[in-house]
Each structure stands twice: as C-alpha cells, then as structure tokens.
Amino acid sequence: MKEAHVIVDRDFVIGDTDPRLFGAFVEHLGRCVYGGIYEPGHPTADERGFRGDVLALVRELAPTIIRYPGGNFVSGYNWEDGVGPVEKRPRRLDLAWMSTEPNTFGTNEFMNWCRAADVEPMLAVNLGTRGPDDARRLLEYCNFPGGTKLSDLRRAHGWEKPHGVKFWCLGNEMDGPWQMEMKTATEYGRIATEAAKLMKWIDPTIELAACGSSSRNMPTFGSWEDTVLEHCFDHVEFISLHTYLNNYADDTPSFLASADLMDSFIEEVVAIADAVAARRRSAKRIMLSFDEWNVWYRTRRKNEGRTKLGWPVAPPILEEVYDMQDALAFGGACLSLLNHADRVKSACLAQLVNAIAPIMTETGGPAWRQSIFYPFRDMSRFGRGRVLQTRVSSPVYTTVYYDPRGTSELSFPMPDVPYLKLAVVDNLDEGTVTLFALNRNLTETLTVETQVRGFGALSLGEAHELHHGDLKATNTKDRPDEIKPASLEGVEITGDRVRVRLAPASWNVIRLSARGN
Ligand code: AHR
C-alpha cells in the first residue's frame, strides 16, 4: 500500500480565497441559456421563464459570480438587441456557434436571474466586431443612475435602479483566430486600454480584466500577456487565463497529471505580470481571473458536437457527458485554483448548464448533476478561508503530456507526478480546517498522514469521497445518482495528526474541527 505524508502549519498561509474564485459562466451557446437557465413554459419555470429546478441546483452548486454573455459569442454581440420589448428584439446570426440568436434573453433578464440565483454578475464587452465606444455605452446603460440617454433607456425598460455591475471583461480570447475580429497583442492592448479609460471615466468603481492567452498552448502565450499588460497595466486589475483539460489520448494517468499544468500556467502569468510591474518599478500587482476552466474534449473538435447545420436556435452542442475520471481531473483543477488563492482572485467554471456544464437538463424535462458537479460544490462550500501551504511527500509516477493538437514534438514527459494532490483551507469563522485530497493512483489505496500544526487537538467534522469502480461511469437522466459522494470511513485522528486511506482514483474531503481556531 502506498503512503504519503503532509505537513501544514497554521502560520504558513498562501492567501485568502476571494469569494469570486468560485464563479461560473453562462454564454449564449447551445442550450446554456435557452433550455438551460431560461425556458418559459417549463413545468418549474417562474413567470420570468427561469427554470426553478435549475435554479435549485445552481444554489446547491454555490457559484458566486457568473460571467456573461460570452465567450466567443460576445465578440459579435450587439447588446442593444437583447434589451427593450421582447417582441421587438431582432433574431441574428451568431457566427461563434453557427446558431440563430433569438435575443429573448438579454442583459436585464440576466441581472434578474443573478438576483434569483444570489450571484454577482460579471459582464464581458464586445471588443471584436465592436470596441471602446460600445463598451462605454453598455456601461452607461447598466451602471449610470439616470438622466442620460442610455441610463434613461434602461429605466424606460423597467429597471429604475442601476445594475451596479462591478466586474467587466474586456473582450474574449482576442488572440484566437476563431474569434470574430481577433487582434494582435498590440492592437488588443491599445483598444483594451482605450475601452478601460472610457469605462472608468463613467464608473471608477469597476474592476477590469484584460484578455490573456486563450490557452497556455497558444504560440503567442507569454509575449501576448507581456505586450497586452505593457499597454493596459495602469488601467486593469486582472489578466485572464483559460484552460480546458483533455483526455484526447485516452490516457487517464496523463489526463489526471495535466491538471498540474494549470499550476505552471498560473505561475508563469504571475511572473509575466510582475515583470511588467518591475519594469515600471510599480508595487501594483495584477491579479489573475481564470475566467474559463473545465474539462472539455469529446465535443470540442468534432463538428457534430460543436455546431449543427441550418442555423438552429439553441442547438444541443457542446453537451459533454462527464464521467468519473473527468471529475478527478476537474478536482485537480480545483486544487490548482485553491493553491494559488494569493493571485487567482476570480475564476469561472465554463460553463454552468448543458454546454460543458456541471448541470444537465432535458428541454421540457428534468435537470441533473454531472460528475464534475461534486468537486465544484465541495470547493465552493468548504473552500472559503485561508489556504495553507502544504509540504507533501508522496509517491510519484511518470507520464507524458500529449499536446492537444496531436503534434508529437509538443508532447513532453511529466516525471515525478505525485499521486497525492492536496489543498488545505482554514476557515476561522467556522473553526474548521478542510483537507481536499485527490488520489491519482488508479489501482492502489493511498494512506495519507497529515500533521496539522498549530490548531491543538483536532476532531473529525465530516468526511466524504467521490469514487466509482468504473472510471467511465456517468450520471444520466435515467441514472442521475450513478456517481455521488459517499461517506469516507476510517479517518483516524490523534492529537494534531490525521490518518486517512484514500481509495484508488478518488476525490476526498475531510473536514476537521479545530478548537485552536
Ligand atoms: O466555453 C466555450 C468557449 O471556449 C468560449 O466561448 C470561448 O471563450 C472558449 O474558446
């Protein structure tokens, strides 16, 4: 049997988790909005068309902030199409997802939905087909109290009070050729700066995120961040990161190890942002907004999964069905985010419903939880507090990272991947210390002994595991509870030492009562 040892100390802190670390994403994409959060006529829908069963699952999942309306969609979006009397709103071609956008759900409906779901809104502006002028107009519409054309238009539309949106994304993935009106780093850096200036002149209380690279694999990764921040540094608070873990190679050990590349990605972006600061002799620190992250590969490349012919409204695209191994890789991503709580101050699981999502629905039918629902719920429920540094001594394995484009020269060996991936969060208000632990060994139990220093004698609050004998098992409409957490037995506590046996290929949460808190 394999054994790992961990030391954590109450005085050695990485940082506090910002509530915005537990965000998600709703894009006008497939059935995320239409048939997802919004489905007038659904048996559980309220008078506004918000699906009650989905809202209940969203509340259980507990995201804190929701990014909207895209994604690739935003780079061709005219926000004016989605406000005002619904019967007058135009139908438009959406070139991001080859769909027809009916515009029956728009900015104001999103604000109402956020209130119903008790989440903060995060809006993205269109810096693709539009630009800084459109960004300032949308901000005036949303945040200006009244007495101007666009703020009065909002009031005339029935929203007397400003929406008060604080967090804004300056476009989306502007480095990607798939983006409507992609930009070079210099072009984007310039328009992002000008948009930021105009927006902050209207509302200086807002916070802005500039687009970073759309993935660590982009050929321009690194130089993009450097150039963009060289332009925007004085005008933005955040730079964004996007990652979708994949198992194209059908190699589970490699897939589970690939979550660790999120750690590298975060640390590299921090280094670049701080280098830009250093060149200016600036004490300002740009924070990271990991505003798209998830597992996504089954419906990413195949045309029938990605788009449907005939420009349909809300086609069932990107409806990735997540299995047990996806939940494990996803859990690894959660741990990467928690362990960088000092610099990743905002993050959005992409996405929320139906399109690469933890919640699935049938249009007109039920809603259910996918496997990835559970690690996210754990992270959001129990990840609030101070993330502690961990000294991990774990048996390791060797694997390979496969470049998702299939180019072997960009694949590389990953030696010394620890079977144990871990994060520890101290919640002073609750007097709890929570261990989040992933066992990446597919065949063997991993015994973990953790010394939790500085809290005095510990006692067990609650412990559960997510585990399934079949790594390809999934939750479906007919078997919605095939994968679900179960109690984790046999946790032994002696003074400040916790000994636990983690099942092969399992995600685990151990909540300790810490009197010393
Ligand atoms: O989340 C799905 C898509 O992935 C988003 O629209 C885009 O930003 C990214 O490429």
Side-chain angles (χ1 to χ4, degrees):
M1 189 195 301
K2 298 243 175 326
E3 186 149 338
H5 294 268
V6 180
I7 300 173
V8 294
D9 191 300
R10 183 193 167 111
D11 288 333
F12 298 156
V13 179
I14 293 172
D16 288 337
T17 53
D18 191 294
R20 287 172 172 162
L21 190 65
F22 312 105
F25 179 27
V26 166
E27 177 167 1
H28 283 249
L29 190 185
R31 296 190 310 122
C32 187
V33 172
Y34 306 107
I37 62 172
Y38 175 76
E39 192 184 327
H42 187 271
T44 70
D46 65 13
E47 67 292 350
R48 299 167 297 187
F50 300 162
R51 275 185 72 148
D53 56 350
V54 171
L55 268 175
L57 286 176
V58 170
R59 288 194 198 100
E60 181 187 328
L61 184 71
T64 48
I65 186 166
I66 307 285
R67 182 169 178 248
Y68 174 87
N72 296 340
F73 172 81
V74 78
S75 294
Y77 185 49
N78 299 342
W79 63 269
E80 302 93 328
D81 293 345
V83 297
V86 173
E87 60 287 0
K88 292 199 176 147
R89 297 186 194 173
R91 289 161 70 87
R92 296 249 189 220
L93 293 184
D94 163 32
L95 307 190
W97 303 108
M98 302 294 165
S99 313
T100 297
E101 171 55 49
N103 280 309
T104 50
F105 187 99
T107 304
N108 295 318
E109 287 81 18
F110 176 66
M111 295 302 157
N112 283 351
W113 185 85
C114 285
R115 255 168 238 131
D118 196 20
V119 296
E120 181 187 353
M122 174 193 289
L123 288 186
V125 297
N126 175 354
L127 294 187
T129 59
R130 291 188 151 187
D133 184 49
D134 180 61
R136 75 167 169 132
R137 287 165 54 82
L138 176 58
L139 182 66
E140 180 184 324
Y141 180 88
C142 287
N143 281 15
F144 204 72
T148 64
K149 178 159 178 164
L150 292 170
S151 56
D152 286 346
L153 186 63
R154 181 200 69 241
R155 295 167 68 206
H157 290 160
W159 281 268
E160 177 61 30
K161 288 202 184 128
H163 294 317
V165 179
K166 291 291 170 218
F167 199 115
W168 295 77
C169 306
L170 296 168
N172 177 69
E173 294 191 347
M174 299 306 304
D175 59 334
W178 57 87
Q179 205 67 212
M180 286 176 258
E181 299 209 23
M182 76 171 282
K183 310 270 186 277
T184 64
T186 303
E187 287 165 347
Y188 173 69
R190 286 289 305 124
I191 64 156
T193 301
E194 293 307 313
K197 275 165 49 187
L198 272 50
M199 292 172 79
K200 286 194 172 170
W201 283 336
I202 294 172
D203 183 351
T205 70
I206 60 173
E207 293 163 79
L208 295 174
C211 292
S213 296
S214 46
S215 93
R216 185 172 180 254
N217 292 324
M218 293 299 286
T220 49
F221 168 57
S223 65
W224 172 275
E225 281 75 3
D226 192 46
T227 304
V228 166
L229 283 176
E230 197 49 61
H231 285 282
C232 300
F233 186 86
D234 294 326
H235 303 278
V236 303
E237 285 69 35
F238 295 89
I239 181 98
S240 74
L241 298 82
H242 291 181
T243 288
Y244 292 100
L245 304 178
N246 76 78
N247 192 12
Y248 288 121
D250 199 13
D251 179 335
T252 306
S254 161
F255 180 35
L256 301 188
S258 71
D260 293 4
L261 298 176
M262 273 178 73
D263 299 282
S264 310
F265 191 18
I266 291 167
E267 287 155 24
E268 288 154 0
V269 174
V270 166
I272 296 164
D274 291 353
V276 178
R279 284 204 290 270
R280 299 168 130 76
R281 324 291 191 267
S282 171
K284 176 175 175 177
R285 287 295 171 264
I286 298 286
M287 295 298 165
L288 275 49
S289 178
F290 219 121
D291 59 25
E292 289 186 30
W293 67 273
N294 198 351
V295 170
W296 178 22
Y297 53 103
R298 297 177 184 84
T299 58
R300 193 159 191 193
R301 296 267 172 74
K302 293 197 190 107
N303 275 341
E304 69 274 17
R306 200 178 161 96
T307 56
K308 303 273 179 215
L309 292 175
W311 300 92
V313 173
I317 53 172
L318 275 57
E319 299 208 352
E320 193 100 354
V321 176
Y322 291 107
D323 62 16
M324 182 63 214
Q325 61 181 325
D326 296 330
L328 299 175
F330 183 98
C334 293
L335 298 172
S336 298
L337 294 173
L338 287 171
N339 282 327
H340 292 90
D342 53 336
R343 293 302 289 267
V344 183
K345 292 293 179 190
S346 170
C348 300
L349 159 59
Q351 299 196 6
L352 188 62
V353 190
N354 290 328
I356 45 173
I359 300 170
M360 284 296 282
T361 73
E362 184 178 76
T363 303
W368 61 97
R369 302 167 190 83
Q370 294 231 58
S371 62
I372 60 171
F373 185 98
Y374 295 107
F376 188 94
R377 185 180 75 176
D378 287 335
M379 174 174 75
S380 184
R381 278 188 180 170
F382 308 131
R384 316 296 174 101
R386 308 182 320 148
V387 185
L388 302 180
Q389 292 176 19
T390 52
R391 175 66 61 89
V392 178
S393 163
S394 164
V396 296
Y397 66 104
T398 296
T399 185
V400 172
Y401 174 74
Y402 301 96
D403 175 65
R405 286 160 297 197
T407 44
S408 54
E409 67 272 21
L410 289 176
S411 302
F412 52 84
M414 290 184 76
D416 301 331
V417 177
Y419 283 117
L420 176 66
K421 187 161 180 172
L422 181 88
V424 179
V425 179
D426 170 25
N427 185 315
L428 293 165
D429 297 335
E430 292 177 353
T432 56
V433 174
T434 302
L435 275 52
F436 302 87
L438 178 66
N439 178 8
R440 297 190 270 205
N441 191 306
L442 303 186
T443 52
E444 288 180 83
T445 297
L446 182 65
T447 298
V448 180
E449 179 154 311
T450 307
Q451 186 182 13
V452 188
R453 291 178 179 162
F455 294 94
L458 302 164
S459 59
L460 184 62
E462 177 259 352
H464 61 261
E465 63 174 1
L466 193 67
H467 168 67
H468 196 289
D470 177 4
L471 285 176
K472 300 223 164 162
T474 58
N475 288 346
T476 60
K477 183 186 127 189
D478 297 326
R479 297 178 69 90
D481 293 326
E482 184 63 30
I483 298 173
K484 65 174 184 188
S487 177
L488 175 61
E489 305 298 338
V491 181
E492 296 163 29
I493 301 181
T494 317
D496 67 355
R497 284 172 196 268
V498 182
R499 197 172 164 83
V500 55
R501 288 156 51 88
L502 309 180
S506 64
W507 163 261
N508 305 268
V509 177
I510 300 119
R511 307 202 67 221
L512 306 166
S513 219
R515 271 181 292 158
N517 249 342

